[in-house]
Amino acid sequence: MQILPRGLLVAALMTLLLAGCASQPGLVDRLPDDDPGELLSRAEQQAPEQAALTRLEAADILARQGQRTQALEIADDIEDDLLPTASRTRWALLLSSLGEELNDPWSVIRAGQKLDELDLSGDQDISLRQRLGLALLEVDEPAAAADELLRVQARTDSERLNDPIWKALSRLDGRELSDLREGADDLTLGWLALAELSRSSGGDIQNLFARLDTWRDRYPRHPASRQLPADLLALRDLRGQEVNHIAVFLPESGALSGVAGAIRNGMRTHHLNVVNGGNGRVRLSFLDASHGDLDALYREAENLGAQVVVGPLDKDLVTRLENQESVPLPTLALNYGHGQRNQATGLFQYGLSAEDEARQAARRAWQDGHRSAAVLVPDNNWGQRVGEAFWDEWQARGGRNTNAVRYNPQASATESTRRAVSSPRPDMLFLLALPAYARQVPPTLDYYNAGDLPIYATSHLHEGRPQPRLDHDLDDVQFLDIPWQIPEAAVGGVEALPFSESYRQLREESDPALFRLMAMGVDAYELARRLPQFQAMADSELFGATGTLTAGSDGRIQRELPWARFEDGIPAPILMPGLFNRQWDDRAVDDRTP
């Protein structure tokens, strides 16, 4: 169905309303003031301030008449800055109510963008803040959502907000949780203690509920003590399904043995820390997958009493598994298969996917307000896959692509960079490159008078150790990386990192080139312990060494990584743009682009 632009929709509505009235015999020339079509017609002839008031009246009438979709379109089109304070309050309450009812979170957010400037009664303030918090959660702004919802619960003591508050807190990283702690009241401190308890329990559900009793003793009057969030209650059904024995399918020889060795080292180191720390009794059995006989490996794992499997690593073996109807044991493969989707019941797939990073870069650039992009990737299969992942995500959001350049990694970056930013000039550049090549790109942009062009890059340009002299040329480049590689930028320091003790041990003894794979081994271990939870609860997340990990509908693990920006050659934190600092007229249109 063709959807009219907002201005045309309002005009069409006005025309239909007037035409319908004109067709009825016996009507007087002047229609009553409560006729929305007449009001919209008048607004076309009025000064902007009066027109805004008239359109608000028309929207209010339409809402009371049950024509709420049309009312939302008109209310959302009003320039609220033209309204006096009392009318702006009325507009915000109307728009937020319509947005909530019609599942339009951005309209609710727009209504609440100047909430503190409105003349609201106590009940109105609570109602608008609650709508705002729920809308922010829906558009994946959990920090802002948690702030608003906690304010409402502090004033109402309502248990109805427990589930959305828990969902918001569950999506926050260590830095964001720490920010909430500053100046927090007892209500917020109780929620933060509960969040920490949940995250530190790992996959040991029995331990989680034992510690939960201690938390309740400390916060007996807390809303979550009276009624646990539904996600925590759901874990009770998983008691007795804790994972105590993991079989690991990794090759001990062949082309992948080096990668497998790093993953194995990460798993073993972290396993010892978990067991020695009293956080679970888990047994690891490593089975040599070099021969590629999956049936034999599963039989051996079952004979050993393993409950879940980690591996295989080989992409072809993973493809073989994903094409089956199911797997003999719940399995976390350490790669992604060749298929578009995983169709095997019980199979999860996890890896350090560059394609995931490209898609996240596209989302971040779009959120930052960019609309046209150039792509600079190596001329090989890797570059093609990653470039297409960025391309597809960017186009799905309505972005334009100006130039796509594939470069020779062994050649100078000068000519390829010039071609990437030549006419038409893009808003931003997506870069996939290893450090030696990436360091040439910003100086080349400076040479071609394009030094102000924002660059969004994957983790591959960062070697993972401080090199300010070499990386000075990357200043202002934004890139994403796993938390363990950028602790200061990601979470505010080593102490706030997930699994910080394992981080310290592996960082001290590791080759930087293999460190990401060791971090992958740590997260593979933690994911394996939580496979029953991930199978039972679709919204499960792991705040891990390699990012925030969630499972897609087909069991493929998706990573969300923190962002950093080079400053004086050192990765520094970079935050998402503030919601209420955006140009809302543009945002309201752009974020609804299919």
Side-chain angles (χ1 to χ4, degrees):
M1 182 180 76
Q2 183 178 7
I3 298 176
L4 294 175
R6 179 170 300 152
L8 292 178
L9 180 57
V10 173
L13 170 66
M14 181 184 72
T15 301
L16 287 171
L17 288 168
L18 290 176
C21 292
S23 66
Q24 300 178 34
L27 284 176
V28 295
D29 291 338
R30 187 181 184 282
L31 298 177
D33 287 344
D34 62 353
D35 184 281
E38 171 65 13
L39 291 171
L40 292 172
S41 181
R42 288 180 191 173
E44 294 297 317
Q45 310 302 320
Q46 293 172 336
E49 291 80 2
Q50 184 58 46
L53 286 168
T54 303
R55 292 188 176 102
L56 176 58
E57 186 67 27
D60 193 27
I61 293 170
L62 285 165
R64 285 187 276 111
Q65 291 177 347
Q67 300 182 60
R68 304 183 74 78
T69 300
Q70 296 93 326
L72 175 63
E73 291 287 346
I74 294 167
D76 212 7
D77 199 45
I78 293 171
E79 295 183 46
D80 60 290
D81 287 341
L82 299 175
L83 297 170
T85 300
S87 296
R88 187 186 297 170
T89 300
R90 180 184 170 201
W91 167 84
L93 291 169
L94 175 63
L95 182 61
S96 64
S97 175
L98 292 168
E100 180 181 51
E101 181 176 332
L102 297 175
N103 195 29
D104 186 345
W106 286 112
S107 290
V108 178
I109 294 169
R110 182 174 175 234
Q113 64 178 306
K114 298 175 183 175
L115 191 153
D116 293 329
E117 299 177 13
L118 301 176
D119 184 16
L120 296 164
S121 69
D123 288 344
Q124 288 173 335
D125 185 78
I126 288 172
S127 178
L128 184 49
R129 286 190 188 278
Q130 180 169 318
R131 291 172 186 165
L132 177 59
L134 295 174
L136 288 165
L137 185 59
E138 191 171 342
V139 302
D140 200 24
E141 292 284 356
D147 184 63
E148 294 296 342
L149 294 174
L150 286 168
R151 286 193 195 189
V152 173
Q153 191 172 64
R155 294 166 61 182
T156 64
D157 198 35
S158 172
E159 299 162 7
R160 294 193 306 272
L161 294 178
N162 283 1
D163 286 346
I165 288 173
W166 183 250
K167 183 175 288 187
L169 294 176
S170 297
R171 295 180 183 176
L172 300 184
D173 61 27
R175 178 190 290 276
E176 291 166 325
L177 287 173
S178 179
D179 289 344
L180 273 179
R181 192 176 299 279
E182 296 180 12
D185 56 14
D186 285 344
L187 172 75
T188 301
L189 290 174
W191 277 115
L192 294 175
L194 186 60
E196 174 58 29
L197 182 155
S198 175
R199 293 188 184 189
S200 62
S201 66
D204 192 337
I205 299 172
Q206 197 70 36
N207 182 38
L208 167 64
F209 280 92
R211 296 169 64 194
L212 189 58
D213 290 339
T214 303
W215 178 87
R216 276 180 156 151
D217 290 340
R218 184 178 177 187
Y219 298 98
R221 303 181 65 182
H222 195 278
S225 185
R226 302 193 301 266
Q227 180 178 311
L228 278 176
D231 283 351
L232 282 179
L233 283 173
L235 289 177
R236 282 182 169 170
D237 296 335
L238 299 178
R239 283 187 293 188
Q241 299 183 41
E242 290 86 355
V243 173
N244 299 314
H245 191 172
I246 303 169
V248 185
F249 300 170
L250 286 173
E252 295 179 5
S253 60
L256 294 175
S257 59
V259 172
I263 294 172
R264 186 184 296 111
N265 188 14
M267 292 188 73
R268 280 178 168 157
T269 298
H270 185 60
H271 169 68
L272 290 174
N273 286 329
V274 168
V275 173
N276 293 336
N279 294 321
R281 299 180 179 179
V282 183
R283 178 183 171 192
L284 281 178
S285 296
F286 289 92
L287 307 179
D288 185 9
S290 303
H291 52 74
D293 188 341
L294 289 172
D295 292 337
L297 288 168
Y298 274 110
R299 282 196 300 272
E300 185 174 358
E302 289 175 323
N303 290 336
L304 290 171
Q307 297 157 283
V308 301
V309 165
V310 172
L313 179 60
D314 183 270
K315 197 174 187 72
D316 291 336
L317 294 181
V318 177
T319 301
R320 192 185 308 172
L321 288 179
E322 74 177 2
N323 289 326
Q324 297 179 181
E325 184 175 334
S326 63
V327 288
L329 290 171
T331 299
L332 177 72
L334 295 176
N335 209 331
Y336 301 94
H338 293 291
Q340 291 296 315
R341 286 184 60 83
N342 163 42
Q343 63 184 26
T345 301
L347 176 64
F348 293 81
Q349 300 176 12
Y350 163 59
L352 304 184
S353 166
E355 289 91 331
D356 272 355
E357 296 185 24
R359 285 184 281 267
Q360 188 178 338
R363 294 193 294 270
R364 174 60 184 261
W366 180 266
Q367 289 175 310
D368 286 352
H370 303 298
R371 296 297 179 261
S372 63
V375 176
L376 188 57
V377 297
D379 188 11
N380 51 36
N381 290 336
W382 178 55
Q384 180 177 350
R385 293 197 317 272
V386 177
E388 287 178 352
F390 176 89
W391 209 259
D392 291 345
E393 184 75 20
W394 186 246
Q395 289 184 317
R397 292 176 176 271
R400 294 186 300 108
N401 300 299
T402 57
N403 298 299
V405 177
R406 295 182 183 179
Y407 63 83
N408 178 359
Q410 307 304 319
S412 166
T414 303
E415 177 58 19
S416 59
T417 304
R418 182 196 66 77
R419 288 166 47 214
V421 300
S422 61
S423 181
R425 172 76 178 269
D427 290 345
M428 52 81 63
L429 173 67
F430 171 68
L431 176 63
L432 174 69
L434 298 178
Y437 192 93
R439 293 178 187 126
Q440 302 175 53
V441 174
T444 304
L445 291 177
D446 288 339
Y447 180 79
Y448 288 111
N449 297 315
D452 59 344
L453 188 71
I455 300 175
Y456 293 77
T458 64
S459 62
H460 305 87
L461 55 58
H462 181 221
E463 290 188 8
R465 59 179 183 268
Q467 299 183 99
R469 185 181 63 81
L470 286 174
D471 289 336
H472 182 77
D473 283 336
L474 292 172
D475 279 357
D476 292 328
V477 173
Q478 301 178 63
F479 71 101
L480 67 178
D481 207 341
I482 67 171
W484 271 23
Q485 288 283 39
I486 49 171
E488 296 298 332
V491 294
V494 171
E495 295 300 326
L497 281 175
F499 322 125
S500 57
E501 183 60 32
S502 296
Y503 166 85
R504 291 187 185 91
Q505 293 180 25
L506 291 168
R507 174 60 86 181
E508 289 175 0
E509 65 187 48
S510 72
D511 177 344
L514 299 176
F515 187 63
R516 286 187 180 88
L517 293 171
M518 294 181 184
M520 179 181 168
V522 171
D523 280 356
Y525 180 91
E526 289 292 338
L527 285 169
R529 296 177 69 195
R530 291 167 171 80
L531 278 193
Q533 177 181 332
F534 273 73
Q535 286 180 299
M537 301 169 60
D539 293 335
S540 296
E541 294 182 328
L542 169 65
F543 288 82
T546 62
T548 301
L549 309 179
T550 58
S553 59
D554 66 346
R556 293 187 175 184
I557 302 297
Q558 300 164 355
R559 296 184 302 142
E560 190 75 15
L561 303 183
W563 284 89
R565 184 200 308 273
F566 279 103
E567 294 181 5
D568 297 323
I570 299 293
I574 177 171
L575 303 178
M576 294 293 285
L579 271 174
F580 301 127
N581 293 327
R582 302 186 185 194
Q583 296 296 318
W584 277 99
D585 288 344
D586 291 339
R587 180 71 193 222
V589 175
D590 291 337
D591 273 84
R592 294 171 192 161
T593 302

